[in-house]
Amino acid sequence: MNRIEEPVKPMTEVLEGVELSIVVPVFNEEESVGPLVTRIRAAMAGFLKSWELILVDDGSTDRTLPNARKELSHPDLQLKIIELQKNFGQTAAMQAGIDAASGRLIATLDGDLQNDPADIPNMVAAIEERGLDLLVGWRQNRRDALILRKIPSWCANVLIGKITGVRLHDYGCSLKIYRGSIIKQVKLMGEMHRFIPAWVAGVVPSSRIGEMPVTHHARHYGTSKYGISRTFRVILDLLAVLFFMRYKARPGHFFGSIGLAAGGLSVLILLYLAIDKFILGNDIGTRPMLIVGVMLFLSSIQLITTGILSEMMARAYFRDDEVTSYIVRQTFEREQPHA
């Protein structure tokens, strides 16, 4: 009988010749995690190339982790369980799984059983056939509440597509297939997992990003981690995405251009007031235009200074590739038999 070793294997260990890594972040999904692994094993039974499953426990407070560790007993399953030190959020958990993945292709999906693992083999075939770097699932028949989920999601998809230029029907679907070499070039932070296609479009042409219809199931266990309030967070995140897409490497241009515009306007106002005061002899001490001109001048100095500081921070950010948005407590793997 094979012995189950629990902790802890180095995160730098790389499996040889893995074709596909399936990454699933889970948070308080104690009832779903067992059936999830069962469905993934059934879906991948006919997959003829090597694959691995990576479960990332994002600081669950229920029995998600113990239930997941029970799945280590399957001798036919290459399973890795990453326990994060606390709840860092879905984006950080997804990044942890991607960092640990060794597959040439990487699939991501939710752990609540709403995504169907049976779609993964078809998506793997499609991404190769269509020569894409990212294939996004499209939940055509989405099994969610109309008012609270579908309508806000539809509005967000339209808005994101118009602003980022990457037009997809379903940005929010977690079921995606990536080329590992591409997604590892993208650093996910905050709550930016919704905008992964936009981030990927920063390193590859948008023509190499596609979508295909996938199955979507109603939630059977637990409760959704999202509500209508996330609509407002999406808007704020979208503004951040727009900024990073255009000014990530040169944020000083964004702040500096506004500062120069404000400074130029203040010069015109103050020059006009100087002529009015010293040549025409009019009193300008109580005129609101003077206050506006001075405030614009001070604002331009602040914006230009902010631009310089942001340039310095951007250069520090690009140098610091080792900083992660998560902390791993330990990793669980099934011990491989020795030759």
Side-chain angles (χ1 to χ4, degrees), residues 1-2 52 102 108 112 126 133 168 187 216 259 261 270 297 314 328:
M1 179 180 295
N2 290 322
E52 63 175 349
S102 53
T108 59
D112 55 12
D133 291 320
L168 299 170
K187 190 173 184 179
H216 189 247
L270 295 176
F297 178 74
V328 174

Side-chain angles (χ1 to χ4, degrees), residues 24-173:
V24 188
V26 290
F27 174 64
N28 288 349
E29 300 286 359
E30 61 181 0
E31 296 175 297
S32 301
V33 67
L36 172 69
V37 174
T38 299
R39 291 188 185 184
I40 291 176
R41 292 175 63 211
M44 302 302 293
F47 192 73
L48 301 180
K49 298 181 180 179
S50 60
W51 63 279
E52 63 175 349
L53 173 60
I54 301 174
L55 298 178
V56 184
D57 176 43
D58 188 24
S60 297
T61 56
D62 60 4
R63 293 192 55 79
T64 297
L65 180 60
N67 290 350
R69 287 170 55 185
K70 294 177 183 178
E71 305 300 322
L72 289 166
S73 61
H74 299 294
D76 62 333
L77 178 62
Q78 180 61 52
L79 173 62
K80 179 184 296 182
I81 302 171
I82 300 172
E83 180 191 6
L84 300 188
Q85 191 159 291
K86 71 178 190 67
N87 178 235
F88 290 95
Q90 185 174 354
T91 302
M94 192 173 292
Q95 182 69 69
I98 291 171
D99 289 343
S102 53
R104 187 179 67 87
L105 299 174
I106 298 176
T108 59
L109 70 156
D110 282 334
D112 55 12
L113 299 179
Q114 290 194 269
N115 296 138
D116 196 334
D119 289 313
I120 293 177
N122 292 334
M123 294 183 72
V124 169
I127 195 174
E128 298 287 27
E129 180 181 341
R130 295 163 61 179
L132 301 174
D133 291 320
L134 167 60
L135 183 61
V136 181
W138 172 16
R139 299 167 292 182
Q140 283 185 316
N141 298 311
R142 185 173 176 179
R143 307 297 183 181
D144 281 323
L146 177 64
I147 302 298
L148 295 179
R149 301 295 298 275
K150 289 185 179 180
I151 292 179
S153 179
W154 180 83
C155 295
N157 290 328
V158 173
L159 185 61
I160 294 170
K162 287 185 177 295
I163 290 180
T164 64
V166 183
R167 299 184 183 275
L168 299 170
H169 289 90
D170 193 356
Y171 263 84
C173 182

Side-chain angles (χ1 to χ4, degrees), residues 230-296:
R230 78 167 178 168
T231 302
F232 304 103
R233 297 200 299 270
V234 168
I235 294 174
L236 295 175
D237 288 342
L238 183 57
L239 294 175
V241 168
L242 180 62
F243 175 82
F244 273 94
M245 287 183 67
R246 296 187 180 181
Y247 299 103
K248 178 180 179 181
R250 47 187 179 88
H253 291 198
F254 174 78
F255 295 104
S257 59
I258 300 175
L260 289 176
L265 184 57
S266 72
V267 168
L268 292 177
I269 291 174
L270 295 176
L271 181 61
Y272 168 77
L273 291 175
I275 294 174
D276 199 26
K277 169 69 176 178
F278 297 110
I279 296 180
L280 301 181
N282 295 322
D283 184 18
I284 63 171
T286 58
R287 297 178 65 173
M289 187 176 289
L290 177 62
I291 298 176
V292 172
V294 172
M295 292 302 296
L296 284 172

